[in-house]
């Protein structure tokens, strides 16, 4: 411990806190100073949504994720949908179409079997919709009071097409930033169900498998630079991670970021920034300017990209920093969140 060279707040936290799982600065510090040094390896050092590896002459994407969302069911989805779509989407961010998933289920003693069956049915339906097979799995049970009903872990593999190289280090000044649709719906949907809040209209999660949308984008050009699905930490976290890894700046047009009115209203009431709220069926892409119009058109022709929008660009100025031009003509820094606004949303 004494040999760590570690910024706050990790050194000041002798125990794990909820913010360490939020996808923001605290999560990054935990990975950078605890897990990455312990695990080692050049592949892990890329810290992408999925690892791109070569095995037997084939380029594979490999990813794993765990799901602890509360409640288990929410408007527009469930923990089962998230477990499938989340891993499928992580693979898609490497350009891969998911082929096989594993699914590990951790059950708390006493959970109703009908609930387990409902989650299992959701996993199966989501897998079929995504065109992926759940090929293997595991089940464990913990004592009553030592879990929260059901936790899931999914891992997945898929093939990366030839010529596709998606990673933040490829981003260059002039790249156009595109988001595939309105942001913030998933986090608000979970929060409304969890806290019994009403915003005049039901907000549904955007959870969806993005493999088909990515294929449509790659059909225009394999020369996309990077894709990310802005889950924990929202759009702001993904953009900051890309800016830091590419050593470029990012400038957003705040008014161009699509936010559904019910989400904007809910965030205004709760004091949240929609750009930090989680999504489960959206992606952000950095695309060479020469291909941007064609890629945007292809996205809008796909059901999951119908509301895609150009929201900014990569710039040489202020490397590693994301700024937004506000509607009033000023600018503000869109920083990496420290922890998370909404815990356990995936």
């Amino acid at each position: 411990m004494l040999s760590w060279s570690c910024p706050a707040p990790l050194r000041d936290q002798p125990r794990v806190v909820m913010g360490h799982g939020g996808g923001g600065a605290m999560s990054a510090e935990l990975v950078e100073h605890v897990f990455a040094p312990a695990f080692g390896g050049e592949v892990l050092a890329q810290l992408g949504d999925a690892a791109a590896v070569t095995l037997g002459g084939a380029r594979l994407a490999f990813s794993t994720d765990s799901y602890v969302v509360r409640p288990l069911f929410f408007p527009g989805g469930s923990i089962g949908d998230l477990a499938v779509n989340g891993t499928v989407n992580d693979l898609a961010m490497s350009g891969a179409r998911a082929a096989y998933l594993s699914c590990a289920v951790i059950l708390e003693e006493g959970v109703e079997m009908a609930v387990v069956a409902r989650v299992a049915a959701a996993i199966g339906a989501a897998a079929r919709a995504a065109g992926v097979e759940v090929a293997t799995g595991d089940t464990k049970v913990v004592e009553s009071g030592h879990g929260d009903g059901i936790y899931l872990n999914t891992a997945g593999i898929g093939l990366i097409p030839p010529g596709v190289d998606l990673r933040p280090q490829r981003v260059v000044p002039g790249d156009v930033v595109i988001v595939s649709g309105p942001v913030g719906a998933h986090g608000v949907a979970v929060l409304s169900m969890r806290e019994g809040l009403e915003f005049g209209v039901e907000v549904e999660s955007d959870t969806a498998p993005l493999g088909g949308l990515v294929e449509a984008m790659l059909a225009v050009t394999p020369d996309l630079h990077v894709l990310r699905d802005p889950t924990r930490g929202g759009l702001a976290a993904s953009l900051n991670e890309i800016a830091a890894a590419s050593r470029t700046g990012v400038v957003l047009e705040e008014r161009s970021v699509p936010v559904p009115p019910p989400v904007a209203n809910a965030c205004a009431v709760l004091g949240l920034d929609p750009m930090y709220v989680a999504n489960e069926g959206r992606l952000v892409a950095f695309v060479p300017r020469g291909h941007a119009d064609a890629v945007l058109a292809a996205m809008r022709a796909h059901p999951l990209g119908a509301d895609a929008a150009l929201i900014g660009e990569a710039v040489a100025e202020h490397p590693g920093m994301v700024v937004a031009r506000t509607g009033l003509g000023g600018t503000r820094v869109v920083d990496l969140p420290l922890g998370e606004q909404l815990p356990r949303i995936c």
Side-chain angles (χ1 to χ4, degrees), residues 31-32 36-37 39-54 59-60 62 93-94 160 165-170 225-228 241-242 244-246:
V31 171
E32 179 182 354
F39 298 166
E42 295 181 1
V43 176
L44 179 64
Q46 299 298 314
L47 296 179
D49 285 332
V53 298
T54 301
R59 289 186 71 219
L60 299 176
F62 176 41
M93 297 307 104
S94 292
I160 301 175
D165 182 17
L166 298 172
R167 50 193 173 89
Q169 291 78 11
R170 296 194 64 220
H225 285 171
V226 68
L227 303 177
R228 285 289 171 91
E241 290 167 1
I242 293 169
S246 63

Side-chain angles (χ1 to χ4, degrees), residues 10 12 45 68 70 85 93 149 153 169 175 221 227 238 253:
L10 185 57
D12 295 335
V68 297
R70 178 171 58 86
N85 293 339
M93 297 307 104
N153 173 276
Q169 291 78 11
D175 281 357
T221 175
L227 303 177
S238 292
E253 296 295 336

Side-chain angles (χ1 to χ4, degrees), residues 284-304:
V284 60
F286 282 64
V287 180
R289 185 170 295 276
H291 298 301
D293 289 342
V295 170
L296 185 60
M299 294 174 73
R300 288 175 172 170
H302 190 280
L304 295 178

Side-chain angles (χ1 to χ4, degrees), residues 18 28 32 63 66 106 111 118 125 164 182 205 227 249 264 280 314 325:
M18 292 300 295
E32 179 182 354
S63 184
S66 298
I106 298 92
V111 67
R118 187 179 170 190
V164 173
S205 170
L227 303 177
E280 288 291 344
R325 296 193 183 106

Side-chain angles (χ1 to χ4, degrees), residues 177-232:
V177 183
I178 301 173
V179 67
S180 64
V183 300
H186 174 70
V188 171
V190 173
L191 180 66
S192 66
M193 189 68 179
R194 182 186 300 171
E195 305 298 340
L197 301 174
E198 296 184 4
F199 304 110
V201 60
E202 184 175 74
V203 178
E204 292 193 351
S205 170
D206 58 10
T207 178
L210 296 172
L213 176 60
V214 172
E215 286 186 345
M217 297 167 67
L218 291 173
V220 174
T221 175
D223 189 31
L224 306 179
H225 285 171
V226 68
L227 303 177
R228 285 289 171 91
D229 58 334
T231 53
R232 296 177 304 165

